[in-house]
Amino acid sequence: MDKIVISGGTPLHGEIKISGAKNATLPILAATLLSPEPYTLSNVPNVADIATMQKLLRAMGAQIQGQDGIYSIGIPQITSCEAPYEWVKTMRASILVLGPLLARHKEAHVSLPGGCAIGTRPINLHLAALSQMGAEITVEHGMIHATTKQLKGATIFFEPSTVTGTENLMMAATLAEGTTILKNAAQEPEITDLAQFLNQCGANIVGAGTDQITIHGVPALSGASYTIMPDRIETGTFMVAAAITQGELTLSDCRPENLTCVINTLKKMGSDITTGKKWIRIKGGPIRPFDITTLPYPEFPTDMQAQAMALMTLSSGLSKITETIFESRFNHAAELRRMGAQIYIEHNYAIVQGVKSLSGAKVLASDLRASSSLVLAGLVANGETEISRVYHLDRGYEKIEEKLSRVGANIKRVKAV
Ligand code: EPZ
């Protein structure tokens, strides 16, 4: 397994081009199951989860060609409607094929995703909502078996709001008979991106980005050419890289409007930030303590919690994190402590006492965003930090060591022998 080795202490300076959003690409790839017509997707990030989803779609009959972020996709016929455990255990987002398969193919057999490092990650809301739309669903031997004669519109209330649940049901409803209303829908920008893609394919979706989405079913969808939105979490991660190293970075090809809460938080923690239509410039300053609570969009994103904790470890005081989305999303704390951080965890609360400096150490990545927080800490720690199990990082960050070394970081990947 590859490792990443960082010698800390260099303030970062320069420009980083942001890649396409992993969490927008995954549902949009799943949505190509909805029509036999061809699609072209651009700005697709080159990360492991996208490769996994493409493999899963190929196993279902998809013809996918492309490189450098531009792919042509066609699924003239669905040759398999099964997503086996081997795929789902490596990527929970495989559950996103359930709605489209039911809508177009009227049958799906998808492995029940297990938990993961950050929580139990149930999908009960997905299944209950699809049943409301007329799907017959049984779960046996860890597999979800779902069939329907025809999905029918329904009014669905999500409690709590769920990102992939909203996406699954929005896709399923595009070909349902009648109108579906999703109440307490998730409002993340990735959902708006999916809705824009689906409407370009001839769907009739109104209200994406709000807590109520109305989908008027249509008989069939066409193909489309679409450019994926930029990754707001990659953007936020590199913003913290500038803040924690007291450097200055310009992030291009991004969408500042998707990061309002993160921008405001980092300003309060001492960074100087200016924004344009598609760029963010951030200059790190003395790090001030700050309290954050993770909540659904547009509040502070749980996917930025680990990165914010890394920054807090070097603040001039006491910061508090309240993690309200996932029940065990502090795996990075123990590794940051190995680097000298002072962090106290109680249930879903973390108290971070700022210290003068961190020291490089051998640390273990545990999940995607936890691993990014270890990279951020390594960029500023005295000495060398060696991060193992970086396959977690590769799931959601495209060429992170190349992007960081181009702005001055002393970072390299050590290939497993
Ligand atoms: C999506 O996961 C993202 N993944 C996650 O990003 C992100 O952390 C999360 O949304 C929250 O923003 C993708 O988009 C592929 P949820 P998802 O359903 O959809 C509960 C990353 O780092 N819930 O919005 O699985 C659940 O337990 C990943 O890129 C149910 O109870 O999250 C949680 O407490 C990590 N029953 C809350 O809802 C359900 O059926 C929100 O989860 C579904 C969810």
Side-chain angles (χ1 to χ4, degrees):
M1 286 184 256
D2 292 2
K3 293 186 171 125
I4 280 186
V5 179
I6 307 170
S7 294
T10 311
L12 304 185
H13 288 279
E15 179 173 335
I16 296 178
K17 182 184 178 309
I18 297 299
S19 299
K22 163 181 84 87
N23 287 352
T25 306
L26 289 170
I28 288 173
L29 280 173
T32 62
L33 285 161
L34 289 165
S35 164
E37 295 193 16
Y39 301 89
T40 303
L41 299 181
S42 305
N43 202 33
V44 173
N46 178 17
V47 297
D49 273 7
I50 299 311
T52 303
M53 181 62 90
Q54 289 177 342
K55 281 184 204 141
L56 178 57
L57 292 177
R58 283 195 180 96
M60 293 180 172
Q63 296 147 13
I64 305 177
Q65 289 89 27
Q67 58 186 6
D68 302 333
I70 301 175
Y71 291 88
S72 59
I73 300 170
I75 313 180
Q77 196 187 354
I78 292 174
T79 56
S80 161
C81 60
E82 182 173 345
Y85 182 61
E86 289 64 35
W87 298 112
V88 179
K89 73 179 178 185
T90 62
M91 188 187 65
R92 315 175 33 70
S94 308
I95 193 66
L96 285 166
V97 303
L98 182 58
L101 280 173
L102 270 178
R104 175 175 167 198
H105 194 66
K106 311 291 192 291
E107 182 184 354
H109 305 277
V110 179
S111 169
L112 200 56
C116 73
I118 64 176
T120 52
R121 312 294 296 279
I123 54 147
N124 59 307
L125 299 176
H126 300 233
L127 303 186
L130 289 168
S131 304
Q132 263 189 265
M133 294 187 71
E136 298 289 330
I137 296 177
T138 57
V139 179
E140 280 179 321
H141 308 300
M143 286 294 287
I144 301 162
H145 302 286
T147 56
T148 182
K149 287 191 179 51
Q150 172 59 47
L151 291 175
K152 299 210 182 324
T155 296
I156 291 155
F157 187 88
F158 288 118
E159 180 50 44
S161 68
T162 157
V163 173
T164 49
T166 301
E167 291 164 345
N168 233 338
L169 271 292
M170 193 158 75
M171 291 188 282
T174 55
L175 295 177
E177 246 171 39
T179 295
T180 299
I181 301 176
L182 306 181
K183 291 177 175 269
N184 198 32
Q187 304 178 52
E188 274 67 8
E190 292 76 19
I191 288 164
T192 305
D193 216 36
L194 173 62
Q196 284 171 352
F197 169 75
L198 289 169
N199 282 340
Q200 217 166 298
C201 299
N204 184 342
I205 301 170
V206 178
T210 74
D211 65 354
Q212 179 160 316
I213 302 173
T214 302
I215 306 104
H216 302 285
V218 295
L221 293 178
S222 66
S225 293
Y226 193 75
T227 299
I228 305 288
M229 65 175 272
D231 194 310
R232 62 191 169 99
I233 304 301
E234 185 194 28
T235 308
T237 304
F238 288 132
M239 288 175 72
V240 174
I244 203 167
T245 62
Q246 308 282 295
E248 181 169 2
L249 289 178
T250 296
L251 306 171
S252 57
D253 287 10
C254 66
R255 278 195 199 154
E257 66 272 24
N258 290 344
L259 286 136
T260 305
C261 190
V262 172
I263 289 170
N264 292 341
T265 299
L266 292 176
K267 281 181 175 175
K268 288 171 187 155
M269 291 187 75
S271 290
D272 179 42
I273 301 174
T274 50
T275 61
K277 191 167 178 336
K278 291 187 176 181
W279 57 265
I280 295 173
R281 188 165 302 124
I282 174 166
K283 184 173 179 355
I287 303 166
R288 295 196 285 263
F290 193 69
D291 295 351
I292 64 166
T293 298
T294 64
L295 286 166
Y297 192 86
E299 301 299 335
F300 194 90
T302 177
D303 290 353
M304 279 296 302
Q305 180 257 105
Q307 300 90 313
M309 184 184 281
L311 185 59
M312 291 169 176
T313 66
L314 291 165
S315 86
S316 55
L318 209 61
S319 305
K320 177 176 164 188
I321 294 176
T322 307
E323 172 56 65
T324 71
I325 306 293
F326 292 117
E327 65 267 34
S328 60
R329 198 168 198 172
F330 289 136
N331 303 315
H332 41 288
E335 299 306 302
L336 291 170
R337 281 196 205 102
R338 285 180 45 68
M339 300 175 73
Q342 286 185 14
I343 305 166
Y344 175 72
I345 304 286
E346 181 79 26
H347 299 309
N348 66 329
Y349 296 105
I351 304 290
V352 185
Q353 169 62 56
V355 294
K356 285 261 176 290
S357 65
L358 296 176
S359 61
K362 291 186 179 180
V363 290
L364 209 52
S366 56
D367 60 81
L368 172 54
R369 306 308 173 180
S371 45
S372 73
S373 83
L374 301 179
V375 170
L376 294 168
L379 291 172
V380 70
N382 298 324
E384 191 167 272
T385 296
E386 182 185 283
I387 305 168
S388 41
R389 298 188 187 172
V390 291
Y391 58 84
H392 289 292
L393 202 60
D394 296 337
R395 294 189 53 173
Y397 289 96
E398 183 174 350
K399 303 190 183 90
I400 192 167
E401 70 273 13
E402 288 177 30
K403 291 184 174 183
L404 287 170
S405 55
R406 273 206 291 274
V407 291
N410 185 336
I411 180 172
K412 62 179 185 294
R413 180 181 290 258
V414 176
K415 284 280 183 201
V417 288

